[in-house]
Amino acid sequence: MSVIRKAIIPVAGFGTRFLPVTKSIPKEMIPIIDKPTIQYIIEEAVESGITDILLVTSKYKKSIEDYFDNFKELESVLESSKNYEMLDMIKNISNMVNITFVRQKEQKGLGHAIYQGKTFVGNEPFCVLLGDDIVYNRDKPCLKQLIECYEEYGGSVLGVQEVKHEDVSKYGIVDGNKISENIYRVNNLIEKPSMEEAPTNIAILGRYVISCKIFEHLEKENYGKNGEIQLTDSITNLISTEEVYAYKFQGTRYDIGDKVGYLKATIDYSLRDDKIKHIIKDYLGEKLK
Ligand code: G1P
């Protein structure tokens, strides 16, 4: 079985749920405390064993490329002021993993974005991480859990959790047979169904391990839900020739594309930060009195 080394992270979207700030700042560069959200996603990939990442970007996202590049002038300022802790942190951002970029020239949907990674992926299974979903698990990153499931079962693996019934229309929904405590064999997937159409409330939440055979399906995929080329539809087509599994991962997942989800993440991460957690706790305690 192939070792999983590569990941694709699509970052070309306009981030309309976060306007007006996303008019000039990519949503991936909005910070949770002092770190852009894209860095949380990339760190999860690196901690899961990924060595090569492709960011599918657009012409409006140059600041993401700059962020992961070297910044020699800043490094020499930090060096001469002997701020070695900060220097290491800054260097690590550009050195932690190999990152390449490809432009998605038209916004035709998630399936189309992933298709831009065909050459990068070649003939091995790969991961996809979506930037709107941040998952916190102190002991084992979400993607690592999926990779371990892949290593045990083979086949593509979708990261899922149960969502509220009224929220099924925001997600790709899984229909499958439970084969162990946290694993389903997928029979069908429906992208953003209505509550009536949804066979379950098991939702795909922004983490995937996918067979490279997906590109054969993406290549001929038709426009699907909301007039977009949907990754979900091509994964459904993959089921006719290969097993696809859904893995109920452990961890707290934040929908940071949503304002409330973003604020929850900011509060929770500040309560996990040793340097500020006591101050924040006292402050929240005061406010809620
Ligand atoms: C995408 C996928 C959907 C998945 C969701 C997870 O939708 O198409 O299947 O459940 O991400 O966040 P989007 O939110 O990009 O419209």
Side-chain angles (χ1 to χ4, degrees), residues 17 27 110 130 132-133 170-173 190-192 203-208 226 228 230-232 253 255:
R17 287 198 288 170
K27 67 174 174 178
L110 178 59
L130 304 184
D132 278 347
D133 298 294
K170 295 183 189 166
Y171 302 104
I173 297 294
I190 309 179
E191 180 67 13
K192 302 192 176 80
I204 307 172
L205 295 178
R207 298 291 182 280
Y208 311 71
N226 300 332
E228 294 177 1
Q230 296 290 352
L231 178 62
T232 306
R253 172 251 173 188
D255 175 8

Side-chain angles (χ1 to χ4, degrees), residues 2-64:
S2 324
V3 174
I4 311 257
R5 305 181 296 135
K6 295 180 181 175
I8 302 181
I9 306 177
V11 296
F14 287 131
T16 43
R17 287 198 288 170
F18 248 93
L19 281 167
V21 65
T22 45
K23 186 168 174 238
S24 72
I25 297 175
K27 67 174 174 178
E28 296 79 9
M29 291 305 294
I30 296 174
I32 293 177
I33 312 179
D34 52 6
K35 208 159 73 175
T37 57
I38 183 69
Q39 194 174 338
Y40 288 82
I41 304 289
I42 289 190
E43 284 175 354
E44 179 188 328
V46 172
E47 284 161 19
S48 303
I50 296 299
T51 56
D52 292 87
I53 292 178
L54 178 73
L55 294 181
V56 181
T57 179
S58 79
K59 61 179 161 188
Y60 308 106
K61 303 284 179 131
K62 288 200 189 78
S63 60
I64 302 179

